[in-house]
């Protein structure tokens, strides 16, 4: 009988693939027969809610250069979603997984059962078959973000702390100074909102600058100052 087949069939532990060793190996027309990633949904919760509804944001940041499997990403998403739904309510947050598993992992399957000695090739043709997917993450890269109301920051932080247990390596939890998922600081965003400079673009927001023809813009889109000077935010009432 083939006793060792169970060992060959199960998934290898992620520690086998944790280090970034090989070149990126994405799914392509050359690399076919790749299994589907375990994580199919990257946005959970109130993903349709407008940018103004959730001012606060908490990130999980990777503090290590490593591979994170799609199974781990899915497990973290489920854990984070479960805690937030239970403690904040299902309409109180929007989770976004910020890294995507594009790198294909390989396995050089060895048959380890009786009668396999005729098939066993050892290290001949050792380039393996596709076995799973992972995301290659770096230091300081955001893995997961939650936008919510300021009252729920503690709950979101705890949810992300629980999701951390699904990942190898070290991660940090950071409460963002930005407004939701936008790239603008909260105080700047509020000021621009008061000036009528912010246009909602769903989850993100656009800040109107002084670009373009004057006659092409409506009257309420005309401003004395630009919104930025070399990347520094400016406001109307500042001298």
């Amino acid at each position: 009988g083939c006793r060792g087949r169970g060992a060959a069939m199960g998934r290898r532990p992620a520690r086998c693939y944790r280090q970034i060793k090989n070149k990126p190996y994405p799914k392509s027309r050359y690399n076919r027969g790749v299994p589907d990633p375990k994580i199919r949904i990257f946005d959970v919760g109130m993903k349709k809610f407008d940018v103004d509804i959730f001012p606060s944001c908490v990130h999980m940041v990777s503090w290590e250069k490593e591979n994170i499997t799609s199974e781990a990403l899915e497990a973290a998403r489920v854990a984070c979603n479960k805690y937030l739904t239970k403690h904040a309510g299902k309409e109180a947050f929007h989770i976004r997984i910020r890294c995507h598993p594009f790198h294909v992992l390989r396995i050089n399957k060895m048959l380890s059962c009786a009668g396999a000695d005729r098939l066993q090739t050892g290290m001949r043709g050792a380039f393996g078959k596709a076995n799973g997917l992972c995301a290659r993450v770096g230091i300081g890269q955001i893995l997961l973000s939650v936008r919510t109301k300021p009252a729920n920051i503690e709950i979101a932080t705890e949810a992300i702390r629980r999701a951390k247990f699904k990942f190898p390596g070290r991660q940090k939890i950071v409460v963002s100074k930005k407004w939701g998922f936008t790239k603008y600081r909260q105080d700047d965003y509020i000021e621009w909102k008061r000036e009528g400079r912010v246009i909602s673009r769903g989850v993100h927001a656009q800040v109107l600058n002084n670009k373009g023809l004057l006659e092409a813009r409506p009257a309420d889109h005309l401003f004395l100052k630009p919104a930025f000077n070399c990347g520094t935010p400016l406001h109307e009432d500042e001298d």
Side-chain angles (χ1 to χ4, degrees):
C2 187
R3 288 205 321 277
R5 180 167 290 176
M9 296 299 286
R11 217 172 63 83
R12 269 188 193 170
R15 63 171 177 266
C16 305
Y17 295 110
R18 186 174 152 189
Q19 282 177 300
I20 297 183
K21 288 182 174 178
N22 305 327
K23 297 188 179 78
Y25 186 53
K27 182 177 174 179
S28 65
R29 63 187 180 188
Y30 314 109
N31 174 18
R32 297 176 306 281
V34 175
D36 283 336
K38 267 285 182 296
I39 182 165
R40 305 300 292 176
I41 299 163
F42 290 84
D43 283 75
V44 200
M46 297 294 105
K47 57 188 180 189
K48 295 273 177 73
F49 271 24
D50 193 71
V51 64
D52 290 334
I53 296 175
F54 293 139
S56 300
C57 181
V58 187
H59 303 300
M60 186 202 292
V61 183
S62 171
W63 224 241
E64 210 157 309
K65 186 174 175 230
E66 61 183 353
N67 289 328
I68 292 181
T69 60
S70 63
E71 285 86 353
L73 290 170
E74 172 67 8
R77 179 186 73 82
V78 170
C80 193
N81 186 32
K82 195 165 269 182
Y83 187 86
L84 276 162
T85 306
K86 186 175 173 185
H87 292 87
K90 67 178 193 292
E91 298 206 342
F93 63 90
H94 171 193
I95 302 170
R96 176 170 282 175
I97 303 293
R98 298 276 296 270
C99 56
H100 288 61
F102 291 129
H103 179 66
V104 179
L105 302 170
R106 299 190 293 265
I107 184 167
N108 181 22
K109 270 241 181 84
M110 297 275 192
L111 290 171
S112 55
C113 50
D117 46 353
R118 284 174 297 118
L119 310 166
Q120 194 79 295
T121 52
M123 291 308 287
R124 180 187 299 174
F127 193 88
K129 296 268 182 294
N131 171 241
L133 288 131
C134 73
R136 292 159 67 96
V137 303
I139 295 172
Q141 184 177 339
I142 297 174
L143 305 179
L144 178 152
S145 299
V146 178
R147 66 183 182 121
T148 183
K149 293 195 161 92
N152 293 329
I153 287 178
E154 248 101 83
I155 296 171
T157 307
E158 174 61 16
I160 290 177
R161 191 190 71 82
R162 286 168 180 239
K164 267 169 57 172
F165 292 118
K166 307 297 176 190
F167 292 143
R170 188 156 176 234
Q171 292 81 29
K172 296 203 171 183
I173 301 171
V174 178
V175 178
S176 175
K177 294 190 174 80
K178 305 279 181 10
W179 183 283
F181 287 167
T182 68
K183 57 184 181 181
Y184 311 116
R185 288 176 66 99
Q186 290 188 0
D187 47 357
D188 289 328
Y189 185 90
I190 290 164
E191 193 58 33
W192 281 324
K193 191 86 184 161
R194 197 179 57 73
E195 292 165 16
R197 274 201 122 122
V198 174
I199 296 180
S200 167
R201 294 276 184 249
V203 173
H204 295 281
Q206 182 188 352
V207 172
L208 295 168
N209 221 332
N210 283 357
K211 273 184 163 178
L213 296 167
L214 284 172
E215 54 266 27
R217 285 185 279 165
D220 58 343
H221 288 187
L222 299 173
F223 304 99
L224 290 171
K225 277 186 176 180
F228 296 95
N229 177 20
C230 301
T232 307
L234 298 176
H235 302 292
E236 296 279 318
D237 52 3
E238 291 172 359
D239 293 330

